Amino acid sequence: QQQVKQSPQSLIVQKGGIPIINCAYENTAFDYFPWYQQFPGKGPALLIAIRPDVSEKKEGRFTISFNKSAKQFSLHIMDSQPGDSATYFCAASDNSWGKLQFGAGTQVVVTP
Amino acid sequence: GAGVSQSPSNKVTEKGKDVELRCDPISGHTALYWYRQSLGQGLEFLIYFQGNSAPDKSGLPSDRFSAERTGGSVSTLTIQRTQQEDSAVYLCASSLENSARTQYFGPGTRLLVL
């Protein structure tokens, strides 16, 4: 079964809006939570990652919020642009060698 | 610099045929991963190679799937007696040993089994 549950499946926002993607997990051994961005025809690319000892991390217009007690984390895209239109995957890992458990993905469309 | 490359980019085959998918990792990356991405699904871990250690094959869905890595570099994923449910995008990723969680993905091979 899927160890990381991601929602929504898709969302559409206008330019400048803030799409929010949510992920939830059950395995308390997970200690690394990355987000990947994938454009059509390309492989996923690491966007930003967080560890459970912090509640928020920002890199440019991308922010991860992490709630350890709720076992949830989310990605916010500030001031979204049409170029941010892509599929976003959350993931989690519980071991140092990097095996990742991925969510099902969210297709984000930012309209001009 | 060169990223992870995969070939072929697309493969159409008939049910029952064998296929081989190739991955060239980033030079110097000792860890290599194979994932499968089915339509509308997330990425499913298949197999992991790290240096000379025994590979972790825990994600391979059946004994029709196998993979090898020659000389610690190029890897080949083989699917024998392909089935229609094998149709998916097969992604390869590589990473440095001391930064295994930072994985760099190739563009994938899109496999269609008719």
Side-chain angles (χ1 to χ4, degrees), chain A residues 11-103:
Chain A
L11 63 96
I12 302 174
V13 299
Q14 288 189 329
K15 177 182 174 181
I18 305 176
I20 300 172
I21 307 168
N22 300 298
C23 287
Y25 64 96
E26 288 298 324
N27 185 351
T28 55
F30 286 146
D31 64 351
Y32 176 74
F33 303 87
W35 285 88
Y36 281 79
Q37 179 187 56
Q38 185 178 30
F39 293 106
K42 305 291 186 182
L46 180 63
L47 194 60
I48 185 174
I50 197 168
R51 296 185 185 274
D53 52 347
V54 298
S55 60
E56 186 175 276
K57 183 175 182 179
K58 295 181 181 180
E59 283 189 8
R61 295 183 294 104
F62 298 92
T63 299
I64 300 179
S65 297
F66 187 84
N67 186 329
K68 187 174 181 179
S69 61
K71 292 183 284 188
Q72 295 176 347
F73 58 110
S74 60
L75 177 71
H76 295 62
I77 307 175
M78 305 303 183
D79 187 28
S80 60
Q81 302 297 311
D84 297 329
S85 297
T87 298
Y88 293 82
F89 293 95
C90 61
S93 171
D94 63 355
N95 58 69
S96 61
W97 61 258
K99 178 179 176 180
L100 294 171
Q101 301 285 351
F102 282 85

Coordinates of all heavy atoms in Angstrom, one line a residue, chain A residues 11-103:
Chain A
L11 N -4.6 20.5 -9.3 CA -5.2 21.8 -8.9 C -4.8 22.8 -10.0 O -3.7 22.7 -10.6 CB -4.8 22.2 -7.5 CG -3.3 22.4 -7.2 CD1 -3.0 23.9 -7.3 CD2 -3.0 21.9 -5.8
I12 N -5.7 23.8 -10.1 CA -5.4 24.9 -11.0 C -5.5 26.2 -10.2 O -6.4 26.4 -9.5 CB -6.5 24.9 -12.1 CG1 -6.5 23.6 -12.9 CG2 -6.3 26.1 -13.1 CD1 -7.6 23.5 -13.9
V13 N -4.5 27.0 -10.4 CA -4.5 28.3 -9.8 C -4.1 29.4 -10.8 O -3.5 29.1 -11.8 CB -3.5 28.4 -8.6 CG1 -3.8 27.4 -7.5 CG2 -2.0 28.2 -9.1
Q14 N -4.5 30.6 -10.5 CA -4.1 31.7 -11.4 C -2.7 32.2 -11.0 O -2.3 32.0 -9.8 CB -5.1 32.9 -11.2 CG -6.4 32.6 -11.9 CD -7.3 33.9 -11.9 OE1 -7.2 34.7 -11.0 NE2 -8.1 34.0 -12.9
K15 N -2.0 32.8 -11.9 CA -0.7 33.4 -11.7 C -0.8 34.2 -10.4 O -1.7 35.1 -10.2 CB -0.3 34.2 -12.9 CG 1.1 34.9 -12.7 CD 1.4 35.7 -14.0 CE 2.6 36.5 -13.8 NZ 2.9 37.4 -14.9
G16 N 0.2 34.1 -9.6 CA 0.3 34.8 -8.3 C -0.4 34.1 -7.1 O -0.2 34.5 -6.0
G17 N -1.2 33.1 -7.4 CA -1.8 32.3 -6.4 C -0.8 31.4 -5.6 O 0.3 31.3 -6.0
I18 N -1.3 30.7 -4.6 CA -0.4 29.9 -3.8 C -1.0 28.4 -3.8 O -1.9 28.1 -2.9 CB -0.3 30.4 -2.4 CG1 0.1 31.8 -2.3 CG2 0.6 29.5 -1.6 CD1 0.2 32.5 -1.0
P19 N -0.6 27.6 -4.7 CA -1.0 26.2 -4.7 C -0.4 25.5 -3.4 O 0.8 25.8 -3.1 CB -0.4 25.6 -6.0 CG 0.5 26.6 -6.5 CD 0.3 27.9 -5.9
I20 N -1.2 24.7 -2.8 CA -0.8 24.0 -1.6 C -1.0 22.5 -1.8 O -2.1 22.1 -2.2 CB -1.5 24.5 -0.3 CG1 -1.3 25.9 -0.1 CG2 -1.1 23.6 0.9 CD1 -2.2 26.5 1.0
I21 N 0.0 21.7 -1.6 CA 0.0 20.3 -1.8 C 0.3 19.6 -0.5 O 1.2 20.0 0.2 CB 1.0 19.8 -2.9 CG1 0.8 20.6 -4.2 CG2 0.8 18.3 -3.1 CD1 1.9 20.4 -5.1
N22 N -0.6 18.7 -0.1 CA -0.5 18.0 1.2 C 0.0 16.6 1.1 O -0.5 15.9 0.2 CB -1.8 18.1 1.9 CG -2.2 19.6 2.1 OD1 -1.6 20.4 2.8 ND2 -3.3 19.9 1.5
C23 N 0.7 16.1 2.1 CA 1.1 14.7 2.2 C 1.0 14.3 3.6 O 1.3 15.0 4.5 CB 2.6 14.5 1.6 SG 2.6 14.7 -0.2
A24 N 0.7 13.0 3.8 CA 0.6 12.4 5.1 C 1.3 11.0 5.1 O 1.3 10.4 4.0 CB -0.9 12.2 5.5
Y25 N 1.8 10.7 6.2 CA 2.5 9.4 6.3 C 2.2 8.7 7.7 O 1.7 9.4 8.6 CB 4.0 9.6 6.2 CG 4.6 10.5 7.3 CD1 5.2 9.9 8.4 CD2 4.6 11.8 7.2 CE1 5.8 10.6 9.4 CE2 5.2 12.6 8.2 CZ 5.7 12.0 9.3 OH 6.3 12.8 10.3
E26 N 2.5 7.5 7.8 CA 2.3 6.7 9.0 C 3.6 6.3 9.6 O 3.6 6.1 10.9 CB 1.4 5.5 8.7 CG -0.1 5.8 8.4 CD -0.8 6.5 9.6 OE1 -0.4 6.2 10.8 OE2 -1.6 7.4 9.4
N27 N 4.6 6.0 8.8 CA 5.8 5.4 9.4 C 6.6 6.5 10.1 O 7.2 7.4 9.5 CB 6.6 4.9 8.2 CG 7.9 4.1 8.6 OD1 8.2 4.1 9.8 ND2 8.5 3.5 7.7
T28 N 6.7 6.3 11.4 CA 7.4 7.3 12.2 C 8.9 7.2 12.1 O 9.6 8.0 12.6 CB 7.0 7.2 13.7 OG1 7.2 5.8 14.1 CG2 5.5 7.5 13.9
A29 N 9.3 6.2 11.4 CA 10.8 6.1 11.1 C 11.3 7.0 10.0 O 12.5 7.2 9.8 CB 11.1 4.6 10.8
F30 N 10.3 7.5 9.2 CA 10.7 8.4 8.2 C 11.4 9.6 8.8 O 10.9 10.2 9.7 CB 9.5 8.9 7.4 CG 8.9 7.9 6.4 CD1 7.6 7.8 6.2 CD2 9.7 6.9 5.8 CE1 7.0 6.9 5.4 CE2 9.2 6.0 4.9 CZ 7.8 6.0 4.7
D31 N 12.6 10.0 8.2 CA 13.3 11.1 8.7 C 13.8 12.1 7.7 O 14.7 12.9 7.9 CB 14.4 10.7 9.6 CG 15.5 9.9 8.9 OD1 15.3 9.6 7.7 OD2 16.5 9.6 9.5
Y32 N 13.3 11.9 6.5 CA 13.7 12.8 5.4 C 12.6 12.9 4.4 O 12.0 11.9 4.0 CB 15.0 12.2 4.7 CG 15.5 13.0 3.5 CD1 16.1 14.2 3.6 CD2 15.3 12.4 2.2 CE1 16.6 14.9 2.5 CE2 15.7 13.1 1.1 CZ 16.4 14.3 1.2 OH 16.8 15.0 0.1
F33 N 12.2 14.2 4.1 CA 11.0 14.4 3.3 C 11.3 15.4 2.1 O 11.3 16.6 2.3 CB 9.9 15.0 4.2 CG 9.5 14.1 5.4 CD1 10.3 14.2 6.5 CD2 8.5 13.1 5.3 CE1 10.0 13.4 7.6 CE2 8.2 12.3 6.4 CZ 9.0 12.4 7.5
P34 N 11.6 14.8 1.0 CA 11.8 15.7 -0.2 C 10.6 15.9 -1.1 O 9.6 15.1 -1.0 CB 12.9 14.9 -1.0 CG 12.5 13.4 -0.7 CD 11.9 13.4 0.7
W35 N 10.7 17.0 -1.8 CA 9.7 17.2 -2.9 C 10.4 17.2 -4.2 O 11.4 17.8 -4.3 CB 9.0 18.5 -2.6 CG 8.0 18.5 -1.5 CD1 8.2 18.8 -0.2 CD2 6.6 18.3 -1.6 NE1 7.1 18.7 0.5 CE2 6.0 18.3 -0.3 CE3 5.7 18.0 -2.7 CZ2 4.7 18.1 -0.1 CZ3 4.4 17.7 -2.4 CH2 3.9 17.8 -1.1
Y36 N 9.7 16.6 -5.2 CA 10.3 16.5 -6.5 C 9.3 17.2 -7.5 O 8.1 17.2 -7.3 CB 10.5 15.1 -7.0 CG 11.8 14.5 -6.4 CD1 11.8 14.0 -5.1 CD2 12.9 14.4 -7.2 CE1 13.0 13.4 -4.6 CE2 14.1 13.9 -6.7 CZ 14.1 13.4 -5.4 OH 15.3 12.8 -4.9
Q37 N 9.9 17.9 -8.5 CA 9.1 18.5 -9.6 C 9.4 17.8 -10.9 O 10.6 17.5 -11.2 CB 9.6 20.0 -9.7 CG 8.9 20.8 -10.7 CD 9.6 22.2 -10.8 OE1 10.8 22.3 -11.1 NE2 8.8 23.3 -10.7
Q38 N 8.4 17.5 -11.6 CA 8.5 16.8 -12.9 C 7.8 17.5 -14.0 O 6.5 17.7 -13.9 CB 8.1 15.3 -12.7 CG 8.3 14.5 -14.0 CD 7.9 13.1 -13.8 OE1 6.9 12.8 -13.1 NE2 8.6 12.1 -14.5
F39 N 8.5 17.8 -15.0 CA 7.9 18.4 -16.2 C 7.6 17.3 -17.2 O 8.3 16.2 -17.2 CB 8.8 19.5 -16.9 CG 8.9 20.7 -16.0 CD1 10.1 21.0 -15.3 CD2 7.9 21.6 -15.9 CE1 10.2 22.1 -14.5 CE2 8.0 22.7 -15.1 CZ 9.2 23.0 -14.4
P40 N 6.7 17.4 -18.1 CA 6.3 16.4 -19.1 C 7.6 15.9 -19.9 O 8.3 16.7 -20.4 CB 5.3 17.0 -20.0 CG 4.6 18.1 -19.1 CD 5.7 18.6 -18.2
G41 N 7.7 14.6 -19.9 CA 8.8 14.1 -20.7 C 10.2 14.1 -20.0 O 11.2 13.7 -20.6
K42 N 10.2 14.6 -18.8 CA 11.5 14.7 -18.0 C 11.4 13.8 -16.8 O 10.3 13.4 -16.3 CB 11.7 16.1 -17.6 CG 11.7 17.1 -18.7 CD 12.9 16.9 -19.6 CE 13.0 18.0 -20.7 NZ 14.2 17.9 -21.6
G43 N 12.6 13.5 -16.2 CA 12.6 12.8 -14.9 C 12.3 13.8 -13.8 O 12.5 15.0 -14.0
P44 N 11.9 13.3 -12.6 CA 11.7 14.2 -11.5 C 13.0 14.9 -11.1 O 14.1 14.3 -11.2 CB 11.3 13.3 -10.4 CG 10.8 12.1 -11.1 CD 11.7 11.9 -12.3
A45 N 12.9 16.1 -10.6 CA 14.1 16.9 -10.1 C 13.8 17.3 -8.7 O 12.8 17.8 -8.3 CB 14.4 18.1 -11.0
L46 N 14.8 17.1 -7.8 CA 14.7 17.5 -6.4 C 14.5 19.0 -6.3 O 15.2 19.8 -6.9 CB 15.9 17.1 -5.6 CG 16.0 17.4 -4.1 CD1 14.8 16.7 -3.4 CD2 17.3 17.1 -3.5
L47 N 13.4 19.4 -5.6 CA 13.1 20.8 -5.4 C 13.5 21.3 -4.1 O 14.2 22.3 -4.0 CB 11.5 20.9 -5.6 CG 10.9 22.2 -5.8 CD1 11.4 22.9 -7.0 CD2 9.4 22.0 -5.8
I48 N 13.1 20.6 -3.0 CA 13.4 21.1 -1.7 C 13.2 19.9 -0.7 O 12.4 19.0 -1.1 CB 12.5 22.3 -1.3 CG1 12.8 22.8 0.1 CG2 11.0 21.9 -1.4 CD1 12.0 24.1 0.4
A49 N 13.8 19.8 0.4 CA 13.7 18.7 1.3 C 13.7 19.2 2.7 O 14.3 20.3 3.0 CB 14.7 17.7 1.1
I50 N 13.1 18.5 3.7 CA 13.1 18.9 5.1 C 13.3 17.6 5.9 O 13.0 16.5 5.5 CB 11.8 19.6 5.4 CG1 11.8 20.3 6.7 CG2 10.6 18.5 5.4 CD1 10.6 21.3 6.9
R51 N 13.8 17.9 7.1 CA 14.0 16.8 8.1 C 13.0 17.2 9.3 O 12.7 18.3 9.4 CB 15.4 16.7 8.6 CG 16.4 16.3 7.5 CD 17.8 16.1 8.0 NE 18.7 15.8 6.9 CZ 18.8 14.6 6.4 NH1 18.2 13.5 6.9 NH2 19.7 14.4 5.3
P52 N 12.6 16.2 10.1 CA 11.6 16.4 11.1 C 12.0 17.3 12.2 O 11.1 17.6 13.1 CB 11.2 15.0 11.5 CG 12.4 14.2 11.2 CD 13.0 14.8 10.0
D53 N 13.2 17.7 12.3 CA 13.6 18.6 13.4 C 13.3 20.1 13.2 O 13.5 20.9 14.0 CB 15.1 18.4 13.8 CG 16.0 18.6 12.6 OD1 15.5 18.6 11.4 OD2 17.2 18.7 12.8
V54 N 12.8 20.4 12.0 CA 12.3 21.8 11.7 C 10.9 21.8 11.2 O 10.4 20.8 10.7 CB 13.2 22.4 10.6 CG1 14.7 22.5 11.1 CG2 13.2 21.7 9.3
S55 N 10.2 22.9 11.4 CA 8.8 22.9 11.1 C 8.5 23.6 9.7 O 7.5 23.5 9.2 CB 8.0 23.6 12.2 OG 8.5 25.0 12.3
E56 N 9.6 24.3 9.3 CA 9.4 25.0 8.0 C 10.7 25.2 7.3 O 11.7 25.5 8.0 CB 8.7 26.4 8.2 CG 8.4 27.1 7.0 CD 7.6 28.4 7.3 OE1 6.4 28.4 7.4 OE2 8.3 29.5 7.3
K57 N 10.7 25.2 6.0 CA 11.9 25.4 5.2 C 11.5 26.1 4.0 O 10.6 25.8 3.3 CB 12.7 24.1 4.9 CG 14.0 24.4 4.2 CD 14.7 23.1 4.0 CE 16.0 23.3 3.3 NZ 16.8 22.0 3.1
K58 N 12.3 27.2 3.6 CA 12.0 28.0 2.4 C 13.2 28.0 1.5 O 14.3 28.1 1.9 CB 11.7 29.4 2.8 CG 10.4 29.6 3.6 CD 10.2 31.1 3.9 CE 8.9 31.3 4.7 NZ 8.6 32.7 5.0
E59 N 12.9 27.8 0.2 CA 13.9 28.0 -0.8 C 13.3 28.7 -2.0 O 12.5 28.2 -2.7 CB 14.5 26.6 -1.3 CG 15.4 26.0 -0.3 CD 16.2 24.8 -0.8 OE1 16.0 24.5 -2.0 OE2 16.8 24.1 0.0
G60 N 13.6 30.0 -2.1 CA 13.0 30.8 -3.1 C 11.5 30.9 -2.8 O 11.1 31.3 -1.7
R61 N 10.7 30.6 -3.9 CA 9.3 30.7 -3.7 C 8.6 29.4 -3.2 O 7.4 29.3 -3.0 CB 8.7 31.1 -5.1 CG 9.1 32.4 -5.6 CD 8.4 32.8 -6.9 NE 8.8 32.0 -8.0 CZ 8.1 31.0 -8.5 NH1 6.9 30.7 -8.0 NH2 8.6 30.3 -9.5
F62 N 9.4 28.4 -2.9 CA 8.9 27.1 -2.4 C 9.1 27.0 -0.9 O 10.2 27.2 -0.4 CB 9.6 26.0 -3.1 CG 9.4 26.0 -4.6 CD1 10.2 26.7 -5.5 CD2 8.2 25.4 -5.2 CE1 10.0 26.7 -6.8 CE2 8.0 25.4 -6.5 CZ 8.9 26.1 -7.4
T63 N 8.1 26.6 -0.2 CA 8.1 26.4 1.3 C 7.5 25.1 1.6 O 6.5 24.7 1.1 CB 7.3 27.5 2.0 OG1 7.9 28.8 1.7 CG2 7.3 27.3 3.5
I64 N 8.3 24.4 2.5 CA 7.7 23.2 3.1 C 7.3 23.5 4.5 O 8.1 24.0 5.3 CB 8.8 22.0 3.1 CG1 9.3 21.6 1.7 CG2 8.1 20.8 3.8 CD1 10.3 20.5 1.8
S65 N 6.1 23.0 4.9 CA 5.7 23.1 6.3 C 5.6 21.7 6.8 O 5.1 20.8 6.1 CB 4.3 23.8 6.4 OG 4.4 25.1 5.9
F66 N 6.1 21.4 8.0 CA 6.1 20.1 8.5 C 5.5 20.0 9.9 O 5.8 20.8 10.8 CB 7.6 19.6 8.6 CG 7.7 18.2 8.9 CD1 7.7 17.2 8.0 CD2 8.0 17.8 10.3 CE1 7.8 15.9 8.3 CE2 8.1 16.5 10.6 CZ 8.0 15.5 9.6
N67 N 4.6 19.1 10.1 CA 3.9 18.9 11.3 C 4.1 17.5 11.8 O 3.5 16.5 11.4 CB 2.4 19.1 11.2 CG 1.6 19.1 12.5 OD1 2.0 18.4 13.4 ND2 0.6 19.9 12.6
K68 N 5.1 17.3 12.7 CA 5.6 16.0 13.1 C 4.5 15.3 13.9 O 4.3 14.1 13.7 CB 6.8 16.1 14.0 CG 7.5 14.8 14.3 CD 8.8 15.0 15.0 CE 9.4 13.7 15.4 NZ 10.7 13.9 16.1
S69 N 3.8 16.0 14.7 CA 2.8 15.3 15.6 C 1.6 14.8 14.7 O 1.0 13.7 15.0 CB 2.2 16.2 16.6 OG 1.6 17.4 16.1
A70 N 1.3 15.5 13.7 CA 0.2 15.1 12.8 C 0.7 14.2 11.7 O -0.1 13.6 10.9 CB -0.5 16.3 12.2
K71 N 2.0 14.0 11.5 CA 2.6 13.2 10.5 C 2.1 13.7 9.1 O 1.7 12.9 8.3 CB 2.3 11.8 10.7 CG 3.1 11.2 11.9 CD 2.9 9.7 12.1 CE 1.5 9.4 12.6 NZ 1.3 8.0 13.0
Q72 N 2.2 15.0 8.9 CA 1.8 15.7 7.7 C 2.9 16.7 7.3 O 3.5 17.3 8.1 CB 0.5 16.3 7.8 CG -0.7 15.4 8.1 CD -2.0 16.1 8.4 OE1 -2.0 17.3 8.5 NE2 -3.1 15.4 8.3
F73 N 3.0 16.9 6.0 CA 3.9 17.9 5.5 C 3.3 18.5 4.2 O 2.5 17.8 3.5 CB 5.3 17.5 5.3 CG 5.5 16.3 4.4 CD1 6.2 16.5 3.2 CD2 5.2 15.0 4.8 CE1 6.4 15.4 2.3 CE2 5.4 14.0 4.0 CZ 6.0 14.1 2.7
S74 N 3.6 19.7 3.9 CA 2.9 20.3 2.7 C 3.9 21.2 2.0 O 4.9 21.7 2.5 CB 1.7 21.1 3.1 OG 2.1 22.1 4.0
L75 N 3.6 21.4 0.7 CA 4.4 22.3 -0.2 C 3.6 23.5 -0.5 O 2.4 23.3 -1.0 CB 4.9 21.6 -1.4 CG 5.7 22.4 -2.4 CD1 7.1 22.7 -1.9 CD2 5.8 21.6 -3.8
H76 N 4.1 24.7 -0.4 CA 3.4 25.9 -0.8 C 4.3 26.5 -1.9 O 5.5 26.7 -1.7 CB 3.3 26.9 0.4 CG 2.5 26.5 1.5 ND1 2.7 25.3 2.2 CD2 1.3 27.0 2.0 CE1 1.8 25.2 3.2 NE2 1.0 26.2 3.1
I77 N 3.7 27.0 -3.0 CA 4.4 27.7 -4.0 C 3.9 29.1 -4.0 O 2.8 29.4 -4.4 CB 4.1 27.0 -5.4 CG1 4.4 25.5 -5.4 CG2 5.0 27.7 -6.5 CD1 4.1 24.8 -6.7
M78 N 4.8 30.0 -3.5 CA 4.4 31.4 -3.4 C 4.5 32.1 -4.7 O 5.3 31.8 -5.6 CB 5.3 32.1 -2.4 CG 5.4 31.4 -1.0 SD 3.8 31.3 -0.3 CE 4.2 30.6 1.3
D79 N 3.6 33.1 -4.9 CA 3.6 33.9 -6.2 C 3.8 32.9 -7.4 O 4.7 33.1 -8.2 CB 4.7 34.9 -6.1 CG 4.7 35.9 -7.3 OD1 3.6 36.1 -7.8 OD2 5.8 36.3 -7.6
S80 N 2.9 32.0 -7.5 CA 3.1 31.0 -8.6 C 3.1 31.6 -10.0 O 2.4 32.6 -10.2 CB 2.0 29.9 -8.5 OG 0.7 30.5 -8.6
Q81 N 3.9 31.0 -10.9 CA 4.0 31.4 -12.2 C 3.7 30.3 -13.2 O 3.7 29.1 -12.8 CB 5.5 31.8 -12.5 CG 6.0 32.9 -11.5 CD 5.3 34.2 -11.7 OE1 5.1 34.7 -12.8 NE2 4.8 34.8 -10.6
P82 N 3.3 30.6 -14.4 CA 2.9 29.6 -15.4 C 4.1 28.5 -15.6 O 3.8 27.4 -15.8 CB 2.7 30.4 -16.7 CG 2.2 31.7 -16.2 CD 3.0 32.0 -14.9
G83 N 5.3 29.0 -15.4 CA 6.4 28.1 -15.5 C 6.5 27.0 -14.4 O 7.3 26.1 -14.4
D84 N 5.7 27.2 -13.3 CA 5.7 26.3 -12.2 C 4.7 25.1 -12.5 O 4.6 24.2 -11.8 CB 5.2 27.0 -10.9 CG 6.1 28.0 -10.5 OD1 7.3 27.9 -10.7 OD2 5.6 29.0 -9.8
S85 N 4.0 25.2 -13.7 CA 3.1 24.1 -14.0 C 3.9 22.9 -14.3 O 4.7 22.8 -15.1 CB 2.3 24.5 -15.3 OG 1.5 25.7 -15.1
A86 N 3.5 21.9 -13.4 CA 4.3 20.6 -13.4 C 3.6 19.6 -12.5 O 2.6 20.0 -11.9 CB 5.7 20.8 -12.9
T87 N 4.1 18.4 -12.4 CA 3.6 17.5 -11.5 C 4.6 17.5 -10.3 O 5.8 17.4 -10.5 CB 3.5 16.1 -12.1 OG1 2.6 16.1 -13.1 CG2 3.0 15.1 -11.0
Y88 N 4.1 17.5 -9.1 CA 4.9 17.6 -7.9 C 4.7 16.3 -7.1 O 3.5 15.9 -6.9 CB 4.5 18.8 -7.1 CG 4.9 20.1 -7.7 CD1 4.1 20.7 -8.7 CD2 6.1 20.7 -7.4 CE1 4.4 21.8 -9.4 CE2 6.5 21.9 -8.1 CZ 5.6 22.4 -9.1 OH 6.0 23.6 -9.7
F89 N 5.8 15.7 -6.6 CA 5.7 14.5 -5.8 C 6.3 14.8 -4.5 O 7.4 15.3 -4.4 CB 6.5 13.4 -6.5 CG 5.9 12.9 -7.8 CD1 6.4 13.4 -9.0 CD2 5.0 11.9 -7.8 CE1 5.9 12.9 -10.2 CE2 4.4 11.4 -9.0 CZ 4.9 11.9 -10.2
C90 N 5.6 14.3 -3.4 CA 6.3 14.3 -2.1 C 6.9 12.9 -2.0 O 6.5 11.9 -2.6 CB 5.3 14.6 -1.0 SG 3.9 13.5 -0.8
A91 N 7.8 12.8 -1.1 CA 8.4 11.5 -0.8 C 8.9 11.4 0.6 O 9.0 12.5 1.3 CB 9.6 11.2 -1.8
A92 N 9.3 10.3 1.1 CA 9.8 10.1 2.4 C 10.8 8.9 2.4 O 10.7 8.0 1.6 CB 8.7 9.8 3.4
S93 N 11.8 9.0 3.3 CA 12.8 8.0 3.4 C 13.1 7.7 4.9 O 13.0 8.6 5.8 CB 14.1 8.5 2.8 OG 15.2 7.6 3.0
D94 N 13.3 6.5 5.2 CA 13.7 6.1 6.6 C 15.0 5.4 6.7 O 15.3 4.8 7.7 CB 12.6 5.1 7.1 CG 12.5 3.8 6.4 OD1 13.2 3.7 5.4 OD2 11.7 2.9 6.8
N95 N 15.8 5.6 5.7 CA 17.2 5.0 5.8 C 18.2 5.8 5.0 O 17.9 6.6 4.2 CB 17.1 3.5 5.2 CG 16.7 3.5 3.8 OD1 17.3 4.0 2.9 ND2 15.5 3.0 3.6
S96 N 19.4 5.6 5.4 CA 20.5 6.5 4.9 C 20.8 6.2 3.5 O 21.4 7.1 2.8 CB 21.7 6.4 5.8 OG 22.2 5.0 5.7
W97 N 20.5 5.1 3.0 CA 20.9 4.8 1.6 C 19.9 5.3 0.6 O 20.2 5.2 -0.6 CB 21.3 3.3 1.4 CG 20.2 2.3 1.6 CD1 20.0 1.5 2.7 CD2 19.1 2.0 0.7 NE1 18.9 0.7 2.5 CE2 18.3 1.0 1.3 CE3 18.7 2.5 -0.6 CZ2 17.3 0.4 0.6 CZ3 17.6 1.9 -1.2 CH2 16.9 0.9 -0.6
G98 N 18.9 6.0 1.0 CA 18.1 6.8 0.1 C 16.9 6.2 -0.5 O 16.3 6.8 -1.4
K99 N 16.5 5.0 -0.1 CA 15.2 4.5 -0.7 C 14.1 5.4 -0.4 O 13.8 5.7 0.7 CB 14.9 3.1 -0.1 CG 13.6 2.5 -0.7 CD 13.4 1.1 -0.1 CE 12.1 0.5 -0.5 NZ 11.9 -0.9 0.1
L100 N 13.4 5.9 -1.4 CA 12.3 6.8 -1.3 C 11.0 6.2 -1.5 O 10.8 5.4 -2.4 CB 12.5 8.0 -2.3 CG 13.7 8.9 -2.1 CD1 13.9 9.8 -3.3 CD2 13.6 9.6 -0.8
Q101 N 10.0 6.6 -0.7 CA 8.6 6.2 -0.9 C 7.9 7.4 -1.4 O 7.9 8.5 -0.7 CB 8.0 5.7 0.5 CG 8.7 4.6 1.1 CD 8.4 3.2 0.4 OE1 7.5 3.2 -0.5 NE2 9.1 2.2 0.8
F102 N 7.3 7.4 -2.6 CA 6.7 8.5 -3.2 C 5.2 8.6 -3.0 O 4.5 7.5 -3.0 CB 7.0 8.5 -4.7 CG 8.4 8.9 -5.1 CD1 9.5 8.0 -5.1 CD2 8.7 10.3 -5.4 CE1 10.7 8.5 -5.4 CE2 9.9 10.7 -5.8 CZ 11.0 9.8 -5.7
G103 N 4.7 9.8 -3.0 CA 3.2 10.0 -3.1 C 2.8 9.9 -4.6 O 3.7 9.7 -5.4

